[in-house]
Amino acid sequence: MTIRFVTMVVLFVLVFSSIGLTQAYAQKTLTIDLASDHVDITTGFNGANLILYGMKDRPGEIAVVIRGPEKKMTVRKKNRVLGLWMNTEHMDFDGVPAYYDYALSKKEGLSDAEEQVLFENGVGLATLIYEPRDAVPERDRIQSFQQALIRNKQLNHLFPMEAGSIEFLNDDFFRTTMYLPSNVPRGTYEIETFLFRQGQIIDRSATTMMVAPVGLNARVYDFATQKSFYYGLICIFIAVFAGWLINVIRNK
Amino acid sequence: MQIYLPIAEISVPAETIFILGCTVGFLSGVFGVGGGFLTTPFLIFLGIPPAVAVGTQANQLVASGMSGTIGHFKRGNVDVKIGGMMLVGGVVGSFIGILIFRLLEYLGQIDFAVSLLYVVLLSSIGVLMLSESIFSSFKKKTVKSHFNAQRVNPFIARLPYKMRFPRSKLYISALVPIGIGFVGGILAAILGIGGGFLLVPAMIYILGMPTILAAGTSLFQIIFTTAAATLMHATMNNTVDIVLGIILIVGGVIGSQFGLVFARVIKPNHARTILAILVLAVSGRLAYKLLATPYDLYSTVVM
């Protein structure tokens, strides 16, 4: 009796939820999902792959962009002072994403209209040129600092060298993989996907992902930042103990 | 094996850090030095932020100070009263050192300042040690003769707040040990070094302390000064990485045992020559970085 009742409830739920799902798909021409919505920084963390799956039901090209938390960056330039190289010039930039990467289903032969629509939606290296906080008259000087910012981020694998690829598993189902290096900053990452055709955005879909330490790393970090005095005392205690230990072994 | 450092927020090869700890431990076993001059530049070279390198190194020095002091203390080679005065200056010096460090970091000059200070200190110490060891291999007896029979500088003799320090048989202004400790504290906070190589000569030549007491007392006060620096780095800057610290300390415990064995075999004069060459090599490496045209003139930091 009860088994039959449970079965009926399950069937009921299944039928209704599938109706709900088909309705949702009918409204949406672009659907995306992450293989995992969080990246855990564990003690052995050495970078991670971010896998995004998506489905589209209309023809068009796909662009995926991922942005880390925004930071204030300072770019410094060294000059020779009395024969020694020291930082003498700097330029500040606001709102620079701590991490940025993007992927395109069509990398070559983009029309001007397509290039334009991607640029307007923050897709591509060209969108990573930021204006300095303080007005600087010399355009050349600004450009060299802007380029240095991108170059430096690329060197640390926090900005891409070029667009990543999007793999199509069939006409509508696609997948892309982005690599997050081991120095990836913690925080909330925003992922946007665009379906575009002939210079028009047909649909867009956005999601977020968390990058945060877990386990021992998280506990050490929380303890060190929230109870820093006791954390400091523990560090000192460990050192005192080690010093004493060296002595004990020495005397044996 | 890569290990993620929770405070430095980067992943580093654990073996490299461990070997560095062993090497520094070995050096402290052979020469009785803290080895901060080797650790801090190397950690920065590995990509660890300078503030974390210095903060963690201050913690590391508590361990080497502790292991060095116990032996001196048992043999009665610590003047606790002078050490106490020095550590008062040392704690204040660490606090000011941390403020200077922050200011330099804000101005974007911290790497430059740390490198330059190291070059100046290490090259002068290295040259002094090297010339002394070369000199002493020709004339074996004359080295220690000028350490005793100190005459106190007239300026120092006139300073107020005179105190008696019975252990060292001194009657001198308390400001002098406080001042020496103060300089040590600043060095500990900015460079991540105990500063023994600077403090011991200062205690011998300026204070007029007996050599054997100077070494023990310097180590004794380094424990407290670096402990205070550790606590301040941890609370004010959050720059003490306990994971990094533990790897360095474990390496240090192991390395120091080999160092102690080696110390019994090698002649003191040869040991001093090797240390002098090592100090000069580190200094040369840092000087090269300051003088050579950088690969990229631009650098980027998160503010």
Side-chain angles (χ1 to χ4, degrees):
Chain A
M1 186 64 197
T2 41
I3 292 171
R4 188 174 293 170
F5 179 71
V6 169
T7 318
M8 278 190 62
V9 170
V10 168
L11 273 174
F12 190 75
V13 169
L14 274 177
V15 167
F16 266 81
S17 57
S18 59
I19 291 169
L21 272 175
T22 35
Q23 276 176 342
Y25 275 112
Q27 286 160 4
K28 205 88 180 127
T29 55
L30 178 66
T31 314
I32 56 161
D33 197 15
L34 293 170
S36 170
D37 65 351
H38 55 96
V39 169
D40 297 338
I41 300 179
T42 56
T43 306
F45 182 71
N46 195 17
N49 278 320
L50 175 75
I51 302 161
L52 179 136
Y53 290 100
M55 189 116 111
K56 66 180 176 77
D57 65 358
R58 274 189 224 173
E61 299 296 336
I62 297 289
V64 179
V65 58
I66 169 167
R67 257 186 219 94
E70 290 188 350
K71 304 269 178 178
K72 291 177 177 173
M73 303 292 298
T74 299
V75 178
R76 297 205 168 95
K77 189 189 176 192
K78 285 192 179 71
N79 280 300
R80 218 174 203 149
V81 181
L82 301 169
L84 305 175
W85 289 96
M86 71 186 290
N87 293 321
T88 49
E89 297 173 57
H90 76 278
M91 221 173 262
D92 300 323
F93 298 92
D94 290 327
V96 181
Y99 174 86
Y100 181 95
D101 199 1
Y102 73 112
L104 294 172
S105 60
K106 179 186 173 189
K107 288 193 228 178
E108 272 154 37
L110 288 164
S111 68
D112 288 350
E114 282 172 327
E115 297 262 15
Q116 182 63 23
V117 77
L118 288 177
F119 181 80
E120 280 166 10
N121 288 285
V123 182
L125 283 173
T127 65
L128 295 170
I129 295 167
Y130 292 86
E131 283 305 305
R133 189 185 304 157
D134 308 308
V136 180
E138 312 99 292
R139 209 59 230 172
D140 294 356
R141 206 170 142 238
I142 295 179
Q143 270 177 10
S144 61
F145 276 82
Q146 287 168 332
Q147 284 161 6
L149 177 62
I150 296 174
R151 187 169 65 232
N152 220 287
K153 283 282 202 179
Q154 284 175 330
L155 203 68
N156 291 310
H157 308 287
L158 295 170
F159 278 7
M161 299 302 287
E162 55 178 17
S165 306
I166 293 174
E167 268 178 84
F168 276 88
L169 305 167
N170 61 32
D171 283 350
D172 299 328
F173 193 46
F174 58 89
R175 179 180 66 188
T176 183
T177 307
M178 285 170 177
Y179 178 70
L180 298 168
S182 70
N183 57 341
V184 71
R186 67 185 72 218
T188 308
Y189 285 61
E190 285 170 10
I191 297 135
E192 273 187 294
T193 307
F194 302 95
L195 174 63
F196 64 100
R197 200 180 176 203
Q198 290 161 349
Q200 292 287 319
I201 297 285
I202 297 169
D203 199 8
R204 64 180 74 204
S205 188
T207 184
T208 58
M209 178 193 68
M210 274 301 287
V211 175
V214 294
L216 180 71
N217 267 335
R219 258 178 280 162
V220 170
Y221 182 83
D222 290 343
F223 189 56
T225 46
Q226 286 158 19
K227 294 194 171 86
S228 55
F229 182 76
Y230 296 104
Y231 173 78
L233 285 184
I234 289 174
C235 291
I236 294 167
F237 176 78
I238 292 172
V240 168
F241 176 76
W244 172 80
L245 191 68
I246 292 171
N247 232 276
V248 170
I249 305 171
R250 180 189 302 166
N251 293 338
K252 274 190 176 172
Chain B
M1 190 189 86
Q2 291 281 323
I3 189 160
Y4 187 85
L5 304 175
I7 306 297
E9 298 193 350
I10 62 158
S11 169
V12 291
E15 306 88 344
T16 312
I17 303 284
F18 178 75
I19 291 167
L20 177 65
C22 283
T23 311
V24 172
F26 181 80
L27 291 179
S28 63
V30 179
F31 310 109
V33 295
F37 74 91
L38 204 67
T39 319
T40 313
F42 197 81
L43 290 178
I44 295 172
F45 175 73
L46 278 181
I48 289 166
V52 178
V54 168
T56 308
Q57 183 51 25
N59 188 35
Q60 169 75 5
L61 288 170
V62 176
S64 48
M66 184 75 191
S67 77
T69 307
I70 297 173
H72 280 288
F73 206 87
K74 280 181 186 159
R75 274 172 259 128
N77 292 339
V78 177
D79 187 329
V80 177
K81 201 173 174 186
I82 286 190
M85 287 296 151
M86 284 177 71
L87 77 89
V88 169
V91 171
V92 178
S94 306
F95 181 73
I96 291 174
I98 286 172
L99 295 182
I100 295 173
F101 192 97
R102 279 184 154 189
L103 178 71
L104 287 169
E105 210 171 25
Y106 174 75
L107 293 173
Q109 303 299 351
I110 192 66
D111 291 299
F112 177 79
V114 166
S115 299
L116 190 65
L117 265 171
Y118 265 121
V119 169
V120 171
L121 282 174
L122 294 180
S123 57
S124 41
I125 299 291
V127 167
L128 267 173
M129 280 200 305
L130 198 62
S131 57
E132 194 185 350
S133 49
I134 292 167
F135 180 70
S136 66
S137 36
F138 289 117
K139 290 184 175 182
K140 293 211 160 135
K141 280 174 189 172
T142 48
V143 184
K144 277 188 180 173
S145 59
H146 57 278
F147 278 5
N148 303 321
Q150 277 299 309
R151 196 181 289 166
V152 175
N153 183 307
F155 170 74
I156 287 166
R158 259 184 267 125
L159 286 172
Y161 310 113
K162 286 203 173 178
M163 275 176 97
R164 255 172 227 297
F165 296 100
R167 186 72 194 82
S168 303
K169 298 191 181 73
L170 286 172
Y171 180 61
I172 195 166
S173 166
L175 293 177
V176 185
I178 291 174
I180 293 174
F182 180 78
V183 174
I186 289 184
L187 291 180
I190 299 182
L191 299 180
I193 54 173
F197 62 82
L198 206 73
L199 297 187
V200 173
M203 289 159 86
I204 294 166
Y205 294 110
I206 302 173
L207 276 177
M209 276 178 89
T211 310
I212 190 81
L213 277 176
T217 309
S218 155
L219 278 169
F220 168 75
Q221 72 86 31
I222 279 172
I223 302 175
F224 297 94
T225 303
T226 52
T230 303
L231 205 55
M232 285 187 263
H233 277 297
T235 52
M236 291 163 68
N237 299 345
N238 286 319
T239 51
V240 181
D241 197 307
I242 198 166
V243 175
L244 176 62
I246 288 175
I247 304 173
L248 284 172
I249 285 172
V250 171
V253 171
I254 296 166
S256 68
Q257 304 312 316
F258 290 103
L260 288 164
V261 174
F262 189 70
R264 284 186 213 120
V265 185
I266 195 168
K267 284 178 187 162
N269 197 31
H270 290 172
R272 196 162 43 203
T273 312
I274 295 168
L275 183 62
I277 290 167
L278 196 69
V279 164
L280 287 174
V282 174
S283 164
R285 173 73 187 83
L286 292 169
Y288 176 77
K289 222 180 85 187
L290 288 173
L291 290 166
T293 309
Y295 177 70
D296 192 343
L297 292 178
Y298 296 86
S299 57
T300 311
V301 284
V302 179
M303 286 309 271

